[in-house]
Amino acid sequence: EAGVAQSPRYKIIEKRQSVAFWCNPISGHATLYWYQQILGQGPKLLIQFQNNGVVDDSQLPKDRFSAERLKGVDSTLKIQPAKLEDSAVYLCASSLASGTYEQYFGPGTRLTVT
Amino acid sequence: GENVEQHPSTLSVQEGDSAVIKCTYSDSASNYFPWYKQELGKRPQLIIDIRSNVGEKKDQRIAVTLNKTAKHFSLHITETQPEDSAVYFCAASAGGTSYGKLTFGQGTILTVHP
């Protein structure tokens, strides 16, 4: 089966600019996750969707980050305005459903904010 | 919320030796414990997982043990090979009560010397 797709793979922007990331989950997967992975650390969940509804966004910096999952399939994560500390790899993952189901990760988008 | 501590942060072994990575968690409601392997510049990939109704699970050279009373779980890799070199992350989830939200440990850099 096709895996989780993400684009772009790399992005370099200046602070205060905006950026958007795209994710296409595995077909049929109802749950979609966005993680932030700072160099040398484990992934940290930013937001979790069940179909097109948000089930957890407690760690999403809502003053600058936003995400949507229209029609319960693809998702976009946006940062506006970006800060230096947003430099990280943004990983998208999907699973069949919420709960104890294996999460499949995409290749990630490496963001560098200068 | 859940907190996962992982040790050691780096582990160096000779090919053929065993490697053990340990994690502790704080939320007694956690019931799902996956382990991910992440090679440099690549996506995290699930290598083994265990649920709270099982004390041990084995898959070829990899095994995971869980002690719910002490709230810790461990990854055991036997007969290590150079291709086992990677960063390993443990994670914990409270399943249905948290919609499957994974909290990751800080990672262990495993280096297997030929």
Side-chain angles (χ1 to χ4, degrees):
Chain A
E1 61 181 8
V4 177
Q6 289 187 247
S7 68
R9 292 295 313 279
Y10 306 91
K11 190 73 177 179
I12 301 174
I13 61 172
E14 295 182 351
K15 59 183 178 183
R16 291 187 290 275
Q17 287 187 324
S18 62
V19 64
F21 312 127
W22 173 83
C23 173
N24 180 245
I26 292 173
S27 178
H29 280 195
T31 310
L32 185 147
Y33 314 79
W34 283 102
Y35 289 89
Q36 179 192 58
Q37 186 175 25
I38 293 172
L39 187 64
Q41 299 181 19
K44 183 183 83 172
L45 180 70
L46 294 176
I47 188 167
Q48 178 179 342
F49 293 93
Q50 176 71 18
N51 295 310
N52 60 350
V54 175
V55 296
D56 191 326
D57 63 357
S58 57
Q59 299 189 97
L60 186 74
K62 298 180 186 64
D63 57 334
R64 299 183 300 106
F65 286 64
S66 64
E68 61 182 8
R69 191 184 184 196
L70 300 177
K71 301 180 182 178
V73 181
D74 294 4
S75 177
T76 56
L77 176 70
K78 297 179 181 177
I79 307 175
Q80 182 180 14
K83 293 185 175 182
L84 295 176
E85 58 261 37
D86 298 332
S87 294
V89 175
Y90 291 84
L91 293 162
C92 179
S94 70
S95 63
L96 273 173
S98 294
T100 58
Y101 293 94
E102 178 177 353
Q103 294 185 23
Y104 295 83
F105 283 84
T109 296
R110 182 176 297 278
L111 173 67
T112 301
V113 182
T114 63
Chain B
E2 175 68 277
N3 183 49
V4 177
E5 297 287 335
Q6 183 173 346
H7 299 281
S9 56
T10 60
L11 180 58
S12 182
V13 300
Q14 289 295 128
E15 182 177 2
D17 287 350
S18 295
V20 180
I21 303 171
K22 298 181 179 181
C23 290
T24 60
Y25 60 98
S26 61
D27 187 350
S28 57
S30 288
N31 59 5
Y32 176 60
F33 308 92
W35 285 88
Y36 285 84
K37 175 183 180 182
Q38 188 174 30
E39 296 178 16
L40 189 63
K42 296 191 175 180
R43 71 191 75 190
Q45 290 196 302
L46 181 73
I47 56 171
I48 196 167
D49 57 12
I50 191 168
R51 288 173 170 75
S52 59
N53 57 344
V54 175
E56 183 174 357
K57 183 177 179 180
K58 192 172 182 179
D59 183 4
Q60 299 182 356
R61 297 187 296 109
I62 295 174
V64 57
T65 58
L66 171 65
N67 183 328
K68 284 216 72 179
T69 303
K71 290 192 282 187
H72 68 71
F73 56 112
S74 301
L75 177 71
H76 304 254
I77 305 175
T78 59
E79 301 172 21
T80 54
Q81 300 167 5
E83 50 265 39
D84 293 330
S85 296
V87 182
Y88 290 80
F89 291 98
C90 63
S93 168
T97 63
S98 68
Y99 301 99
K101 173 183 176 179
L102 286 178
T103 300
F104 284 81
Q106 300 90 330
T108 297
I109 301 172
L110 173 65
T111 304
V112 181
H113 299 282

